[in-house]
Amino acid sequence: MTYFVERGSKPAQSSPEGNPTVGFQPKSDKSSHDESDNHAILNCIFPEDGRLVGTDAIFTSSPNVTPQFPIDAESNTHKRLDIPTPSIYTDERGEIHNIKANDKRINILYTKKGYLRSGDLHPNEQCDFIFSGKVKIWTLQSDGSTKITDYCAHDFISIPRGVPHVFEFVEDTVMAEWWEPPGFQAWFYKPYRDIVNKKIMGEGGRQW
């Protein structure tokens, strides 16, 4: 069982499935309230996972990391099915256009304001380019905390291998994503992925 620490409290042994109580004050604006709920993760620290960030060990040693294609798929609630190229996936959040040029896979994404994507990590570098819109990207740091960085139109983003991350869309956004070296593989990071899924299922959507 992985420990997480709520900022300002003593370490507690607990499952990261539920968010701890945090000091955010509710606001009347729904978008502000949703953002506060999302950012409750800032009050949690995952020191054991932090020590593994950016290393091969995070894929095999963290109980919070689940492979995309586990051997025992039936027991894995965080599985993601294989995605053909070309293809278009649509849900309540928007669209993902999965394309392939030669041996390079490139995704073009349109995502509506207020939604989240990812909650995963990769064994290679993830590259992103924002054509329009604004995005907050959460990344797990080496001390086990979560850092949130703002990006906007025409920004290039590089997420190193083995770093759990989430995309939080502040505006309707169009962006591209690809991986270097080429080849798409993903492992879900449960503390982040649970937040992504909760947002989707809360809107009556499908899990992906």
Side-chain angles (χ1 to χ4, degrees):
M1 181 175 289
T2 297
Y3 287 85
F4 75 90
V5 180
E6 182 179 348
R7 290 185 188 274
S9 66
K10 297 181 180 180
Q13 184 172 345
S14 177
S15 167
E17 289 183 280
N19 288 331
T21 301
V22 295
F24 290 109
Q25 297 299 317
K27 301 179 181 180
S28 57
D29 180 68
K30 183 178 184 297
S31 62
S32 298
H33 178 72
D34 289 347
E35 182 173 304
S36 295
D37 289 344
N38 293 340
H39 295 171
I41 194 69
L42 293 174
N43 287 52
C44 298
I45 300 177
F46 302 89
E48 294 179 8
D49 294 337
R51 287 190 287 270
L52 302 175
V53 164
T55 70
D56 290 338
I58 194 168
F59 297 100
T60 57
S61 299
S62 170
N64 283 324
V65 174
T66 306
Q68 175 189 357
F69 298 113
I71 296 175
D72 186 9
E74 291 303 318
S75 65
N76 175 26
T77 59
H78 295 268
K79 64 187 176 183
R80 178 184 291 176
L81 300 178
D82 193 13
I83 305 162
T85 53
S87 64
I88 300 175
Y89 178 87
T90 62
D91 65 8
E92 289 73 13
R93 295 174 292 179
E95 302 175 352
I96 302 177
H97 295 248
N98 306 285
I99 62 177
K100 196 170 186 178
N102 196 11
D103 64 342
K104 186 180 291 294
R105 177 198 178 108
I106 301 173
N107 294 342
I108 307 295
L109 300 87
Y110 162 66
T111 309
K112 300 173 186 176
K113 174 183 176 180
Y115 282 98
L116 309 174
R117 291 195 187 274
S118 294
D120 56 11
L121 61 157
H122 311 284
N124 43 5
E125 175 191 8
Q126 177 167 332
C127 303
D128 298 271
F129 182 81
I130 302 175
F131 297 105
S132 63
K134 292 183 180 179
V135 180
K136 292 180 182 289
I137 299 184
W138 315 357
T139 51
L140 188 67
Q141 303 296 295
S142 59
D143 64 356
S145 66
T146 295
K147 178 180 179 180
I148 297 181
T149 307
D150 294 297
Y151 295 93
C152 60
H154 306 146
D155 281 345
F156 172 78
I157 302 158
S158 173
I159 302 175
R161 66 183 302 277
V163 175
H165 54 274
V166 169
F167 290 82
E168 177 185 355
F169 294 88
V170 181
E171 295 180 355
D172 288 0
T173 299
V174 177
M175 59 183 287
E177 65 180 6
W178 66 97
W179 294 266
E180 298 290 351
F184 175 78
Q185 292 178 286
W187 279 250
F188 289 135
Y189 184 62
K190 192 176 190 305
Y192 288 177
R193 187 67 185 179
D194 282 351
I195 297 173
V196 173
N197 285 341
K198 182 179 179 181
K199 174 65 177 176
I200 302 170
M201 301 310 289
E203 297 290 339
R206 293 167 287 172
Q207 177 176 319
W208 188 82

